[in-house]
Amino acid sequence: MEIWTHVLEEMNLRHGPYPNGFTRDIFHSEPFPDFVGELGKKAAGVLASRGLRSDEIFIKFGKAEHMRSLFERGALRVQSASYYATPSHNGAIKDDELSLPLSLALSRDDIIKVVLNPQDVPEGPIEQRFDVTYNAGTDYWLYCVSSAVEPRLFVDFQADSCVIIKDRDRFQRLLTLQNAAKFPNTGHRHGEAVYIDPLCPSTVKIDVPMSKHFRYEYQCEYRFVWRPVKPTANLSYVDLEIGSLEGIAELVVL
């Protein structure tokens, strides 16, 4: 909201009161997703007809060839966290998964605890903004699925297919069985992503691999993380085959 306020003020200076200046021509790097196009319409119809509940399923979105491989053989690629910062990714995918910048509001009592000269802190109610960046400390492997039954995700991820995983526990076990062989000397965990408001975080205890900026909250990610015991940079992807998902999942091709 702070950034958006700056944008509005700057646009007002340049073009006049909102919505002056807000044309499609100003969006050079990230065009508006076409939610009402053919892909969006197909996606809405397919998901609406199934009566899915977000607390019962996982969904993996992607291209048909990859989703068929996932469904038929359990073939999937686990990317490194550093991979997601690749500039060619669109706005729904591109993110810095290795760090998370936050701004904390410190009260007078908080400030006194951390400064060397507490006697110089002014009396009375004060609040000081403190910018801090949390780091993962190492590259790690990350595999994400969604529990959001949202047609827009087809459009956001430029996907024409998805695999709807209906037995979440079984899928989790199949992935966990890969730990020793494919991810030695790592710590593994999985769970729902925690979405953080960077200007008003609810806690200072941040687990970077399981945390995301709240602009991605609509994606409702469920994350599988393998973190090397020894800090490592620039990890490569790992391809897995966990076995056919027939019987616990459904393949949908638009």
Side-chain angles (χ1 to χ4, degrees):
M1 291 305 297
E2 179 181 286
I3 294 172
W4 178 237
T5 300
H6 282 294
V7 170
L8 291 176
E9 290 297 320
E10 184 65 26
M11 292 297 284
N12 182 64
L13 290 172
R14 296 186 186 195
H15 304 286
Y18 178 85
N20 291 339
F22 282 90
T23 66
R24 285 188 177 271
D25 294 336
I26 71 171
F27 293 93
H28 301 295
S29 62
E30 193 65 35
F32 284 121
D34 184 11
F35 296 130
V36 296
E38 191 63 27
L39 180 59
K41 292 176 183 177
K42 286 183 179 179
V46 163
L47 292 184
S49 67
R50 282 165 169 75
L52 302 172
R53 290 182 48 177
S54 62
D55 60 340
E56 295 178 347
I57 52 92
F58 292 144
I59 304 180
K60 185 66 177 179
F61 296 89
K63 299 297 184 183
E65 59 179 307
H66 300 139
M67 294 302 97
R68 284 197 179 95
S69 296
L70 174 60
F71 179 73
E72 294 171 0
R73 310 194 318 272
L76 56 90
R77 175 164 291 181
V78 181
Q79 294 284 5
S80 65
S82 56
Y83 161 82
Y84 292 94
T86 304
S88 59
H89 292 322
N90 69 18
I93 300 173
K94 185 176 181 295
D95 192 22
D96 180 359
E97 296 286 359
L98 297 177
S99 64
L100 187 64
L102 302 180
S103 296
L104 308 177
L106 302 184
S107 67
R108 184 177 186 277
D109 290 340
D110 294 328
I111 296 170
I112 288 175
K113 293 176 183 177
V114 297
V115 298
L116 295 176
N117 54 338
Q119 69 280 359
D120 294 335
V121 178
E123 296 290 340
I126 61 173
E127 189 174 90
Q128 177 67 46
R129 171 171 165 164
F130 177 67
D131 295 327
V132 60
T133 298
Y134 287 79
N135 292 298
T138 179
D139 202 358
Y140 55 91
W141 287 282
L142 175 65
Y143 188 75
C144 301
V145 292
S146 173
S147 60
V149 187
E150 292 290 343
R152 71 167 288 184
L153 294 183
F154 279 98
V155 181
D156 277 358
F157 296 136
Q158 300 171 349
D160 60 4
S161 304
C162 73
V163 173
I164 302 171
I165 300 163
K166 300 178 179 180
D167 188 339
R168 303 201 302 186
D169 290 340
R170 175 62 177 164
F171 182 74
Q172 291 166 6
R173 288 196 296 273
L174 289 173
L175 267 184
T176 301
L177 288 174
Q178 304 294 318
N179 290 352
K182 294 291 187 176
F183 303 100
N185 302 314
T186 64
H188 173 61
R189 62 189 187 279
H190 56 84
E192 296 178 350
V194 178
Y195 294 97
I196 309 293
D197 179 346
L199 293 179
C200 191
S202 59
T203 178
V204 295
K205 296 180 180 180
I206 304 297
D207 180 3
V208 172
M210 298 301 293
S211 302
K212 291 279 286 182
H213 189 291
F214 73 158
R215 67 175 173 268
Y216 299 100
E217 188 165 5
Y218 71 97
Q219 296 179 1
C220 298
E221 273 190 11
Y222 193 96
R223 320 192 107 198
F224 296 85
V225 171
W226 293 266
R227 188 179 191 277
V229 173
K230 182 179 179 181
T232 308
N234 302 317
L235 293 172
S236 182
Y237 62 80
V238 175
D239 286 329
L240 304 179
E241 282 202 19
I242 62 176
S244 172
L245 301 184
E246 188 174 357
I248 70 167
E250 176 187 359
L251 173 65
V252 175
V253 180
L254 299 184

